[in-house]
Amino acid sequence: MAVADLIGAAIGVLLLVIVAYLLVGSTISTAQIVTTAQKSVTLQEQIQLRTDFTITDATPSLSGFNCTIKNTGTEIISDFTHMDIIAYDNSSKNYQLYTYSNSSGVYGTWTISFYGNEVIHSHELDPGESYILQVTTSTGTPPSWFQITTGNGVYASEFL
């Protein structure tokens, strides 16, 4: 009987070691995932703090309006597909969302009509550079107010 007790105790200890190993392993991997997520959030917040732009000019056009934006931050603005323009239309008393398009003249979109004098990064808005944006409204009339928002949440607004 002593051998059976010894074998039972050994199996019990082995099971305890396996359970402890699994718990410690899962705890360590969870801690690594949380740490990586915290680093990613911190990096995104730093990029957001360094991103800034101003609207230097806004003029109505035949199909909507044009505006000039200037990068006044220290971060390059290049993700135009995630930039949106929200405009308030006085005639319909409604907000309209305009998304980025590579081609001009598409209703309900905006595009870059002039890239300025780019020297270093082609089709990226470097600090100090200006782009002219063309917004084609669905009604063909310019809105009374609009806001440009980057992919990381930085925005600027202007009245027409």
Side-chain angles (χ1 to χ4, degrees):
M1 283 283 184
V3 173
D5 289 338
L6 187 61
I7 292 174
I11 291 175
V13 169
L14 182 64
L15 288 175
L16 284 174
V17 168
I18 291 172
V19 169
Y21 178 76
L22 291 174
L23 285 175
V24 168
S26 65
T27 302
I28 289 173
S29 67
T30 301
Q32 288 174 342
I33 291 170
V34 169
T35 302
T36 303
Q38 287 175 338
K39 286 180 183 178
S40 296
V41 167
T42 302
L43 180 62
Q44 287 297 327
E45 288 175 350
Q46 289 175 354
I47 290 171
Q48 186 178 21
L49 287 173
R50 292 190 307 253
T51 303
D52 194 21
F53 68 95
T54 58
I55 301 169
T56 57
D57 185 32
T59 57
S61 69
L62 294 175
S63 62
F65 66 96
N66 296 326
C67 66
T68 304
I69 62 170
K70 181 176 183 177
N71 187 347
T72 56
T74 58
E75 192 71 28
I76 296 172
I77 300 173
S78 61
D79 189 11
F80 300 112
T81 57
H82 290 106
M83 284 180 65
D84 292 324
I85 296 179
I86 301 167
Y88 181 75
D89 187 12
N90 270 340
S91 61
S92 67
K93 304 288 185 208
N94 205 357
Y95 289 94
Q96 298 293 323
L97 176 67
Y98 300 96
T99 56
Y100 177 73
S101 174
N102 284 330
S103 56
S104 63
V106 179
Y107 289 117
T109 63
W110 68 272
T111 188
I112 301 170
S113 62
F114 181 68
Y115 286 94
N117 300 323
E118 293 190 310
V119 178
I120 299 175
H121 301 111
S122 177
H123 296 99
E124 292 182 348
L125 187 58
D126 294 323
E129 289 183 343
S130 295
Y131 281 177
I132 298 176
L133 309 182
Q134 177 185 5
V135 182
T136 307
T137 61
S138 53
T139 61
T141 58
S144 59
W145 172 88
F146 69 96
Q147 173 181 308
I148 302 172
T149 306
T150 63
N152 61 3
V154 177
Y155 64 91
S157 62
E158 185 75 25
F159 286 96
L160 280 175

